[in-house]
Amino acid sequence: EAINKGDTSTVVKLQSAIKFNGGGHVNHSIFWKNLAPIHEGGGEPPKGSLGWAIDTQFGSLEALIQRVNAEGAALQGSGWVWLALDKELKKLSVETTAN
């Protein structure tokens, strides 16, 4: 509505809430799908090159899970823990983002 009216100040004020809620929706959609049982369309433990990279860089999937849990517990307030790929270094990393 603010965009249609050309109300720039309201659009700017709403951007933070839109990013927070929209991003939260997308992140939760990914999160819940990945945690669903396999027979309900959820993810399986990583295999192939991803499984190999996790084992090589973190020692095991269980070690990665422990690292992700520790990073998540250390976040103050709300936020996300991500398994990311550093394309330049060609390695996986665990990253956190607030909110």
Side-chain angles (χ1 to χ4, degrees):
E1 185 177 323
I3 290 172
N4 289 337
K5 289 181 179 178
D7 185 354
T8 307
S9 64
T10 300
V11 171
V12 170
K13 288 177 189 174
L14 291 172
Q15 284 178 344
S16 179
I18 290 168
K19 282 191 259 181
F20 176 78
N21 291 299
H25 171 72
V26 170
N27 295 341
H28 278 91
S29 296
I30 294 167
F31 177 78
W32 290 119
K33 180 171 173 83
N34 288 339
L35 289 180
I38 293 169
H39 69 276
E40 292 180 16
E44 294 183 28
K47 299 174 187 164
S49 59
L50 178 57
W52 176 85
I54 289 170
D55 289 345
T56 300
Q57 292 178 229
F58 299 100
S60 68
L61 178 59
E62 185 56 41
L64 171 61
I65 291 169
Q66 289 175 0
R67 168 98 181 264
V68 167
N69 287 340
E71 295 280 341
L75 279 172
Q76 293 187 359
S78 63
W80 294 89
V81 182
W82 303 94
L83 176 62
L85 173 62
D86 184 322
K87 289 183 180 181
E88 287 183 20
L89 297 176
K90 296 184 178 172
K91 68 178 219 169
L92 299 174
S93 64
V94 175
E95 304 291 333
T96 59
T97 54
N99 299 319

